[in-house]
Amino acid sequence: MCGFAGFLDLTSQTPDRAATVAAMAGTLVHRGPDDSGVWIDDRAGIALGFRRLAILDLSPHGHQPMLSKDGRWAIAFNGEIYNHADLRGRLERSDWLGHSDTEVLLEAISRWGLDRALAQCDGMFAIALWDRVERVLYLARDRIGEKPLYWAECGGVFSFGSELKALVRHPAFDDSIDRDALALFLKFGWIAAPHTIYRAARKLLPGTILSVRGGKVASQTYWSAAERARAVAGSFGGGRAAAAERLNQLLRASVSLRMQADVPVGVFLSGGIDSSVTAAIMQDMSPRPVHTFTIAFADKGYDESPHARAVADHLGCVHTEVPITDDDALALVPDLPSIWDEPFADPAQLPTCLLARATRQDVTVALSGDGADELFGGYGIYRSLPADWRRLEAIPAWLRRLAGGLDLMPSAMLNAAAGLGHLVGRKRRSYPGFRVKKAFEQVRTGSLAQLHGQHYARWRGMPAPVLGAGRAMTAFDDGLAAMLADPSLAVMVMDARTYLPDDLCVKTDRATMAYSLEARLPFLDHAIVEFAWSLPLGLKIDGDIGKAVLRDVLYGYVPRALVDRPKMGFEVPIGRWLTGRLKGWADDLLDEGRLRSQGLLNAPMVSACWRDHRLGAKNWQTELWHALMFQAWFESRG
């Protein structure tokens, strides 16, 4: 795991390319504290900078940027190619310099071309590749989007890197805020790809290759979640026992590959289904006790550590509990803007950081169960959203059009009208007009994908929280979900295209890399992803029970009694903190005068929500956390 940055300057306006790219890469030292490197070709205008976290081949033979044996290709590569040993054998070369996966990837590209090489790779990666013969820059990202990759085109300079802070460091970068993207952030708590908080910058979409040739930018998709899901949907013909056996085989293969390292490896263990099956397979395949790590919250309402300890004891693991108090979490809040680099508001970012920081003291690599819920039906929305959509489709078209018209009425008018109910003895509810407009919005929803987007949305039914923002299109608007006949599968695939890469993978990547810890996610092996999509719904969701086939796999390693319990999630008491220890911090950031002077957020509305929450009139904790994470990030820019 590493970090890279670079630029292609065809205008020769970057005065000292080596110093500039070194400074860009220097912002990523947390991603790679073990080594650094710079490679430039002044005549071509290309510069690559690298920071290395040594995982495979700790020798200088793993140094990057790296040149191919034939001298044609220069690469900066972040991630892991897990099947590098198999590829090495297929390439039939005897004069390897070392045993790094980077050297294998370069040789595969030289022999097979970039498209075919990526198709053969099982891994998580972001790649910057320079063709010294054709003078073409290529950027590529893994299929699911585990590893980040950003790019920007500003004044004739094309810059790129593992985090936005590296791009900002180039003197040509335009750091103007994108209000449309800010509106997405206030809505979701994360910024949906390809957008970023900056107008000039973009996220490279998962499964995509972008090329820059002579200043012209083009992109192509080498792997599409929607297309692969449509190709394999429901194709598995066996029963539940056969599905569990096949899934067990796939998981064992994936976990085995992700245990490869020349440094210590452990696993995050919450005691739930996903992490327990990962730890169980690791321990079953390991000749020595596996090191497991879990959070132990002081607040027992959030604490899963006794369950994790019971699973670890049963498996015979070396178990470490990381105790977390309010003091620990709150002390980290000021660091969140620099860790996430653009606004990000998943509250699980706090415990994930603290777990990663403690885990790094003992291991350099940690496996995680991320992705299992999205693939095997672990969330209730995979049952509820299709049912809600069927009900909406049954509403007559004229009534849905009427709802669309009513949605144009100002919220204040609806609040006043709906509030008159107290005159006839009804209990007065806070902001009833917002509730009415939210209902209108849902009735006029045009697709299951849009309904899915509403599930994640906040500030619904309310005036726009961002001043002057337009609507930025996302995967919730592109219609690809309609390619799938099974609505539950469509929602799962949409999560794999949105929530998984833009929230969960971002959370895990930034939290772990902040402490130079590599996280590996066995469930996101593309063979497991496509197998999950091939299963009939009944093998994933059995009545009200999700992840049915995954549970069957787990029961082969761990007694049911240790793991059959309600899902808790990785939550923290944000609401309590905002009215307690974080109150002064929030008062300062959400001060109405400050918001007005910044001119970005709807100051009267945001301040009113903060007053309501502070007084206990209405719980706005999620909306306010979104606003606070933007404000903290904005203030961190100085």
Side-chain angles (χ1 to χ4, degrees):
M1 190 69 63
C2 309
F4 66 79
F7 58 87
L8 176 60
D9 181 358
L10 300 179
T11 64
S12 301
Q13 64 174 288
T14 307
D16 187 337
R17 292 190 175 103
T20 298
V21 79
M24 292 171 71
T27 66
L28 306 173
V29 65
H30 53 285
R31 299 187 74 93
D34 298 331
D35 188 22
S36 64
V38 166
W39 180 87
I40 60 172
D41 182 338
D42 265 322
R43 292 182 62 188
I46 185 71
L48 300 176
F50 193 74
R51 294 295 319 191
R52 184 185 184 199
L53 176 62
I55 302 292
L56 287 171
D57 192 347
L58 309 186
S59 77
H61 293 309
H63 177 80
Q64 293 188 49
M66 185 181 289
L67 294 179
S68 61
K69 182 186 176 185
D70 62 11
R72 176 172 179 173
W73 305 94
I75 195 171
F77 160 63
N78 167 32
E80 302 288 350
I81 305 300
Y82 298 118
N83 64 334
H84 65 96
D86 174 64
L87 296 177
R88 182 182 293 258
R90 291 164 55 191
L91 289 166
E92 298 179 341
R93 186 179 133 190
S94 60
D95 57 342
W96 298 99
L97 296 177
H99 64 274
S100 75
D101 54 346
T102 309
E103 188 180 6
V104 173
L105 176 60
L106 261 179
E107 182 66 15
I109 292 169
S110 296
R111 296 273 195 93
W112 303 332
L114 180 59
D115 291 18
R116 184 183 167 199
L118 293 183
Q120 303 302 312
C121 287
D122 172 7
M124 57 175 183
F125 52 82
I127 298 168
L129 181 73
W130 175 249
D131 182 344
R132 301 176 72 189
V133 174
E134 298 291 336
R135 291 200 173 188
V136 181
L137 172 68
Y138 295 96
L139 303 181
R141 194 173 176 206
D142 64 66
R143 295 169 177 86
I144 302 298
E146 293 181 62
K147 293 293 100 189
L149 185 48
Y150 298 88
W151 63 275
E153 196 173 10
C154 301
V157 176
F158 185 94
S159 57
F160 51 90
S162 299
E163 295 182 14
L164 281 169
K165 58 172 65 74
L167 278 65
V168 172
R169 194 61 181 265
H170 193 286
F173 184 77
D174 177 1
D175 67 352
S176 303
I177 289 176
D178 185 339
R179 290 176 185 256
D180 298 353
L182 175 56
L184 282 180
F185 170 72
L186 268 289
K187 181 178 183 178
F188 295 133
W190 33 272
I191 298 177
H195 309 284
T196 77
I197 193 62
Y198 299 114
R199 279 205 303 258
R202 288 291 179 266
K203 299 179 179 82
L204 186 64
L205 291 172
T208 299
I209 299 171
L210 181 145
S211 63
V212 186
R213 182 191 299 265
K216 294 183 178 180
V217 180
S219 66
Q220 67 180 79
T221 300
Y222 70 89
W223 189 89
S224 162
E227 290 178 3
R228 290 306 304 152
R230 182 173 62 171
V232 303
S235 61
F236 183 79
R240 185 157 162 175
E245 176 58 30
R246 179 58 181 152
L247 178 56
N248 184 48
Q249 294 170 357
L250 290 170
L251 281 169
R252 291 180 70 86
S254 178
V255 168
S256 176
L257 288 175
R258 284 154 182 79
M259 290 172 67
Q260 299 177 99
D262 295 330
V263 293
V265 178
V267 59
F268 295 146
L269 176 63
S270 69
I273 302 294
D274 317 334
S275 64
S276 294
V277 76
T278 305
I281 291 174
M282 285 182 71
Q283 188 58 74
D284 192 60
M285 302 178 74
S286 175
R288 60 185 62 88
V290 168
H291 204 153
T292 56
F293 301 85
T294 193
I295 288 288
F297 286 104
D299 187 331
K300 298 306 178 185
Y302 296 90
D303 187 30
E304 293 185 284
S305 63
H307 305 290
R309 188 185 317 118
V311 172
D313 289 346
H314 174 79
L315 296 174
C317 300
V318 175
H319 189 58
T320 296
E321 289 184 0
V322 181
I324 289 184
T325 64
D326 281 7
D327 288 342
D328 298 320
L330 296 175
L332 186 62
V333 169
D335 296 332
L336 297 181
S338 63
I339 292 173
W340 266 270
D341 209 23
E342 71 175 347
F344 185 77
D346 184 334
Q349 63 198 128
L350 286 163
T352 306
C353 273
L354 295 169
L355 177 61
R357 185 172 69 187
T359 299
R360 184 61 175 91
Q361 297 175 18
D362 294 296
V363 302
T364 310
V365 174
L367 274 64
S368 168
D370 285 357
D373 282 307
E374 292 75 18
L375 295 175
F376 294 98
Y379 300 138
I381 60 170
Y382 304 134
R383 300 185 298 276
S384 63
L385 284 180
D388 290 345
W389 177 240
R390 286 193 294 271
R391 285 191 288 269
L392 284 175
E393 284 190 303
I395 297 175
W398 67 267
L399 186 55
R400 296 177 71 177
R401 287 194 297 271
L402 177 61
L406 292 173
D407 190 35
L408 298 176
M409 295 179 63
S411 298
M413 181 185 302
L414 290 170
N415 278 330
L420 295 176
H422 77 283
L423 298 177
V424 293
R426 285 189 167 187
K427 182 179 179 181
R428 187 185 185 103
R429 304 185 73 180
S430 58
Y431 302 111
F434 295 164
R435 299 173 186 271
V436 172
K437 288 203 69 170
K438 183 177 176 180
F440 289 160
E441 177 187 345
Q442 182 159 328
V443 169
R444 65 181 176 84
T445 299
S447 69
L448 174 61
Q450 290 178 4
L451 184 66
H452 189 186
Q454 290 175 11
H455 164 76
Y456 290 113
R458 296 297 181 264
W459 307 95
R460 288 183 57 198
M462 304 171 70
V466 178
L467 302 177
R471 184 182 179 193
M473 303 298 285
T474 71
F476 294 117
D477 304 299
D478 66 16
L480 291 181
M483 295 168 56
L484 297 165
D486 180 347
S488 293
L489 178 60
V491 178
M492 293 182 211
V493 174
M494 282 298 300
D495 266 348
R497 298 178 61 219
T498 55
Y499 177 62
L500 186 57
D502 292 335
D503 184 308
L504 291 187
C505 287
V506 171
K507 177 191 69 181
T508 299
D509 175 80
R510 302 307 190 282
T512 54
M513 293 296 354
Y515 304 101
S516 306
L517 176 72
E518 174 170 296
R520 297 178 176 179
L521 314 181
F523 283 100
L524 298 189
D525 184 316
H526 66 280
I528 293 176
V529 170
E530 294 188 17
F531 174 73
W533 293 340
S534 78
L535 294 175
L537 183 63
L539 296 183
K540 289 178 285 193
I541 302 177
D542 184 3
D544 291 333
I545 304 299
K547 297 185 287 191
V549 67
L550 184 58
R551 292 171 185 269
D552 290 348
V553 173
L554 178 59
Y555 298 151
Y557 296 96
V558 176
R560 284 174 178 252
L562 290 184
V563 291
D564 272 356
R565 56 188 174 84
K567 185 178 180 66
M568 289 183 66
F570 212 27
E571 298 181 1
V572 290
I574 292 294
R576 174 166 61 80
W577 289 345
L578 289 180
T579 55
R581 301 276 296 280
L582 289 179
K583 181 174 176 293
W585 171 75
D587 271 335
D588 186 43
L589 289 178
L590 300 181
D591 174 75
E592 186 167 352
R594 170 179 286 199
L595 295 177
R596 287 183 185 277
S597 67
Q598 291 169 351
L600 292 166
L601 301 186
N602 185 332
M605 185 180 72
V606 173
S607 295
C609 290
W610 173 228
R611 285 193 297 272
D612 283 351
H613 187 86
R614 192 175 52 200
L615 297 172
K618 184 171 175 57
N619 184 351
W620 293 107
Q621 69 176 44
T622 303
E623 288 81 359
L624 290 170
W625 190 248
H626 291 187
L628 284 163
M629 285 295 95
F630 169 70
Q631 285 294 100
W633 174 85
F634 186 75
E635 292 295 323
S636 74
R637 303 198 323 155

